Amino acid sequence: IVIDPPRSGVGRKTIARIRNAAPERIIYMSCNPKTQVEDFQHFTQYRITALRGFDMFPQTPHIEVIAVLDRV
């Protein structure tokens, strides 16, 4: 599954649906690393296997972070 939530992070209902679907892999693209880390707390059955930041908008202080989470 690929998710790209707004800056506020993934909603609780969406987190529940993702957990119930139990995909083998989650690709999580985020424009807010803080909420991304908060959302990771809800995916304890996954481990981060790749993580990379991208400065797609150098004129702003924001970065994009892509994480790959694989089910344990």
Side-chain angles (χ1 to χ4, degrees), residues 1 13-26 43 45-46 71:
I1 188 168
K13 287 182 181 179
T14 303
I15 287 173
R17 288 180 180 158
I18 293 169
R19 288 177 56 143
N20 287 337
E24 288 292 320
R25 176 172 285 162
I26 299 171
F43 297 112
Q45 68 274 32
Y46 292 85
R71 193 159 28 115

Side-chain angles (χ1 to χ4, degrees), residues 15-16 18-20 22-24 26 28 36-48 69-72:
I15 287 173
I18 293 169
R19 288 177 56 143
N20 287 337
E24 288 292 320
I26 299 171
Y28 187 138
Q36 187 179 37
V37 169
E38 291 169 0
D39 289 342
F40 288 162
Q41 305 306 311
H42 299 283
F43 297 112
T44 56
Q45 68 274 32
Y46 292 85
R47 65 184 169 133
I48 299 169
L69 292 86
D70 287 308
R71 193 159 28 115
V72 180

Side-chain angles (χ1 to χ4, degrees), residues 1-71:
I1 188 168
V2 177
I3 53 177
D4 183 8
R7 292 192 62 74
S8 59
V10 180
R12 300 301 164 230
K13 287 182 181 179
T14 303
I15 287 173
R17 288 180 180 158
I18 293 169
R19 288 177 56 143
N20 287 337
E24 288 292 320
R25 176 172 285 162
I26 299 171
I27 310 296
Y28 187 138
M29 188 163 126
S30 177
C31 59
N32 187 346
K34 183 180 179 214
T35 57
Q36 187 179 37
V37 169
E38 291 169 0
D39 289 342
F40 288 162
Q41 305 306 311
H42 299 283
F43 297 112
T44 56
Q45 68 274 32
Y46 292 85
R47 65 184 169 133
I48 299 169
T49 56
L51 186 69
R52 179 150 187 192
F54 295 90
D55 188 5
M56 295 174 60
F57 306 100
Q59 72 278 15
T60 72
H62 306 293
I63 63 168
E64 300 285 324
V65 178
I66 296 179
V68 177
L69 292 86
D70 287 308
R71 193 159 28 115

